[in-house]
Amino acid sequence: MTTSAHSIISGTAWSPPAGRPPLSARMMRATWRRLPAGRYRAGWEPGLVVPAADGSPLLTDHYFPRAEGDFPTLLVRSPYGRGLPWSPMYGVLFAEQGFHVVVQSCRGTGGSGGRFHLWRNEAADGRATVAWLREQPWFDGTLGTVGPSYLGYTQWALALDPPPELKAMVVQAGLHDPHAYFHAHGALHLENALITCLGMTHQHRGLAPFLKATLRLQRHMRRVTTAQPLRGAHISALGDEASWLDDVLAHPDAEDPYWSGARLGKVADRLKVPTALITGWHDVLADQTLDQYARLRRAGCETSLLVGPWTHNSAFQQGWPETFAETLAWLRAHLCADRSALRTAPVRVHVGGEDAWRELDAWPPPPAATSWFPATGGHLVRQAPTDRAPLASFRYDPAAPTPSLGGRLLSPTAGPRDNGTLEARDDVLTFTGPPLDEPVDVLGPVSARLTVSSDTGHAVVFTRLCDVDAQGRAINVCDGIARIRTAGHTPIEVTVPMSATAHRFRAGHRLRWQISAGAHPRYARDPGTGESPLDATAFVPVVVTLHADSALTLGS
């Protein structure tokens, strides 16, 4: 219902109230640079009550341009509260650009009624919120959604049965598959799971309680991640309300009924709502974003992809000017019929090593894949081996686990890092190519085909691609992990997806392939016995042997 139509029925026109956004939001807004100037002053209606699907009150803040006229509406549904950073990043900034913005606390969070349950109520509560919007005098019938991480999940949930008013989505580093987020080929994403649980449990309570809980988890991180068993160990650091994490980690099988209805990847297989996707190469949800893009393209949905040099958090810090500009251009194009800022190429990626942006017609681009092979003496060569003989072995001791270093983490240590200290360990194998005569571009998925064996029959293999510069520094580009089971010393072949990248290895640089048996506490320690890492109380060292017919594959 448009504003004018509502006015005819009710006999009154909606006038913007005089409320100003909270001081904290205005102060944060003043710190941002390289953002477009606002077109309007932003207004604020806090604490509106929207009935959820079961009648529970969902607390909602309404931001708006302080001007007469019709403006489209953006829906932002969050379990992390409605204050910082959501109030300035979405409420204020987009209201200044000519949008009504509805920022809502999910059920059981941020003062909303009912009980929060990961991913179970978002579809129904999203539909209930749209029904409420239809009754508002300022709603002109044009709706978009926007938001990162779990706020992306709430968008996919609404798109299960998209309302006719939904004309555009912008999923920023967004989640659609909770199972894949917590479990990777049999390995538990332990550190990210704990930090996620911290956010879900404490962030919606406000900045001070969240910071206090963050410091408490930091103090207890080592004790929690090395507990035997892991199950329940996080409660002392995160509180009783975090007990749901045990259930999440105790269901490693994607087909387990526990995940029924939670995995929303198939939404993109039939979606027709124009959808922009944003992520970073070191984002914990990069793989899910790239999967979303592939599904939307196959479905014929209008979509765009932006991938920056970011982690999950830095996309909304250092990367916020690019993220905001991309989001605003998409929303104006599809909600305001203004395509002037929309780029013509559907894909824009940052190329590491080159430190430049490229616009592409598709992802991944056409070039064929290339393979590199490990060889004696720690060399990485282009010539394929002629046998599958044992090549190198290392001993992994879970009592002194191989540490994680950089990569796709939620912690401040995420992203590219110098791997020198890691590669100096006895439990890390490295294979290094010769100095390159000319640049090598890798744009697309990276994977490892490993032929391995272990003396216990159980192990985890962690594999990483690094860029070695002229000074010998090895910087991680991408990586992956898989749990293996063998019949004693009998080798098996396993393919380990190492995600995707856009990276230029400069002339004079070298490729390095790194192989180990873990990255702790990023992933839970493998006990070496075949028992679940969540319940294991006995841990045994494992000798892992790599065989010659293994390969590192770069590109699609």
Side-chain angles (χ1 to χ4, degrees):
M1 181 180 294
T2 65
T3 301
S4 56
H6 191 283
S7 300
I8 292 172
I9 294 172
S10 65
T12 60
W14 182 78
S15 296
R20 298 179 69 193
L23 178 61
S24 59
R26 300 200 306 272
M27 291 177 64
M28 179 175 278
R29 169 66 181 93
T31 66
W32 278 315
R33 300 292 182 266
R34 296 195 297 128
L35 297 183
R39 299 182 176 187
Y40 307 91
R41 289 183 301 148
W44 182 45
E45 284 186 291
L48 302 177
V49 176
V50 176
D54 68 346
S56 297
L58 302 178
L59 292 190
T60 302
D61 291 350
H62 171 215
Y63 297 82
F64 52 86
R66 297 175 69 179
E68 299 294 334
D70 290 347
F71 300 97
T73 297
L74 304 180
L75 176 59
V76 181
R77 303 193 62 250
S78 167
Y80 302 117
R82 302 182 312 284
L84 299 179
W86 320 117
S87 175
M89 291 180 73
Y90 296 98
V92 174
L93 285 181
F94 285 96
E96 288 180 346
Q97 297 298 329
F99 298 89
H100 290 280
V101 187
V102 173
V103 182
Q104 182 179 87
S105 288
C106 293
R107 185 188 302 204
T109 70
S112 289
R115 181 174 178 270
F116 178 68
H117 194 309
L118 281 169
W119 54 77
R120 300 300 185 195
N121 301 307
E122 307 307 350
D125 288 353
R127 289 193 297 269
T129 301
V130 175
W132 175 84
L133 282 173
R134 293 182 182 123
E135 301 303 317
Q136 306 314 302
W138 41 264
F139 183 61
D140 74 348
T142 303
L143 178 66
T145 60
V146 63
S149 199
Y150 193 90
L151 286 69
Y153 186 85
T154 62
Q155 295 183 66
W156 292 115
L158 182 63
L160 273 167
D161 183 16
E165 296 90 346
L166 183 60
K167 306 301 182 184
M169 296 166 52
V170 182
V171 182
Q172 305 163 325
L175 171 79
H176 72 261
D177 187 346
H179 170 269
Y181 179 77
F182 291 103
H183 300 274
H185 304 281
L188 296 181
H189 286 251
L190 182 58
E191 183 177 6
N192 287 341
L194 292 170
I195 296 175
T196 298
C197 188
L198 167 74
M200 292 287 190
T201 307
H202 295 283
Q203 190 170 346
H204 66 92
R205 294 189 168 97
L207 184 60
F210 178 60
L211 289 177
K212 183 179 179 180
T214 299
L215 292 173
R216 185 168 63 248
L217 177 60
Q218 289 176 348
R219 289 196 305 270
H220 295 285
M221 181 67 79
R222 178 173 174 79
R223 177 184 57 78
V224 170
T225 58
T226 58
Q228 298 176 221
L230 278 174
R231 184 185 294 274
H234 65 284
I235 299 296
S236 60
L238 295 175
D240 290 339
E241 291 184 39
S243 59
W244 58 266
L245 184 59
D246 277 338
D247 283 342
V248 168
L249 298 184
H251 295 86
D253 184 357
E255 303 307 318
D256 190 302
Y258 176 83
W259 301 106
S260 178
R263 305 172 68 206
L264 301 181
K266 292 184 178 179
V267 173
D269 292 336
R270 51 179 171 75
L271 190 64
K272 299 304 179 185
V273 177
T275 302
L277 303 171
I278 300 172
T279 188
W281 291 122
H282 298 279
D283 172 25
V284 295
L285 291 168
D287 286 341
Q288 297 210 24
T289 302
L290 296 175
D291 180 51
Q292 293 159 15
Y293 179 75
R295 289 172 180 261
L296 290 170
R297 290 277 289 190
R298 288 195 297 267
C301 182
E302 183 180 356
T303 184
S304 71
L305 175 66
L306 175 70
V307 189
W310 309 311
T311 67
H312 191 68
N313 295 323
S314 69
F316 308 97
Q317 297 164 357
Q318 298 94 323
W320 183 236
E322 287 83 3
T323 298
F324 181 75
E326 180 87 359
T327 300
L328 184 61
W330 190 262
L331 294 173
R332 281 188 175 154
H334 297 286
L335 303 183
C336 308
D338 175 8
R339 302 180 73 90
S340 60
L342 202 64
R343 54 183 160 83
T344 56
V347 179
R348 185 170 185 251
V349 300
H350 184 273
V351 181
E354 186 181 36
D355 193 22
W357 291 89
R358 294 193 199 180
E359 294 195 354
L360 306 169
D361 292 331
W363 180 264
T370 60
S371 294
W372 293 72
F373 305 93
T376 56
H379 296 294
L380 191 64
V381 299
R382 296 298 307 276
Q383 184 177 353
T386 57
D387 59 41
R388 63 181 313 186
L391 184 63
S393 298
F394 62 93
R395 181 178 184 270
Y396 171 79
D397 186 355
T402 315
S404 54
L405 179 65
R408 293 180 173 181
L409 299 171
L410 290 176
S411 76
T413 60
R417 291 288 184 270
D418 184 344
N419 280 235
T421 57
L422 185 62
E423 295 176 347
R425 292 176 59 98
D426 293 336
D427 56 2
V428 178
L429 297 178
T430 60
F431 299 91
T432 307
L436 297 169
D437 294 329
E438 57 185 22
V440 170
D441 289 346
V442 179
L443 284 83
V446 177
S447 64
R449 189 192 74 240
L450 299 169
T451 301
V452 289
S453 58
S454 79
D455 61 342
T456 69
H458 302 277
V460 157
V461 287
F462 178 78
T463 171
R464 168 172 277 182
L465 172 64
C466 292
D467 182 344
V468 184
D469 65 18
Q471 288 72 44
R473 289 190 316 149
I475 305 299
N476 52 292
V477 175
C478 59
D479 51 48
I481 195 168
R483 199 175 186 188
I484 63 168
R485 295 176 175 84
T486 66
H489 291 272
T490 304
I492 67 163
E493 184 178 295
V494 59
T495 297
V496 184
M498 297 169 60
S499 191
T501 189
H503 189 87
R504 164 164 286 193
F505 293 83
R506 294 176 178 270
H509 285 215
R510 294 174 291 163
L511 282 74
R512 177 168 290 166
W513 188 12
Q514 188 188 111
I515 299 169
S516 61
H520 185 263
R522 178 178 172 185
Y523 299 104
R525 295 178 297 168
D526 187 79
T529 62
E531 191 176 3
S532 164
L534 192 65
D535 296 308
T537 57
F539 290 77
V540 300
V542 177
V543 175
V544 178
T545 299
L546 179 74
H547 293 250
D549 59 334
S550 300
L552 174 67
T553 301
L554 310 177
S556 55

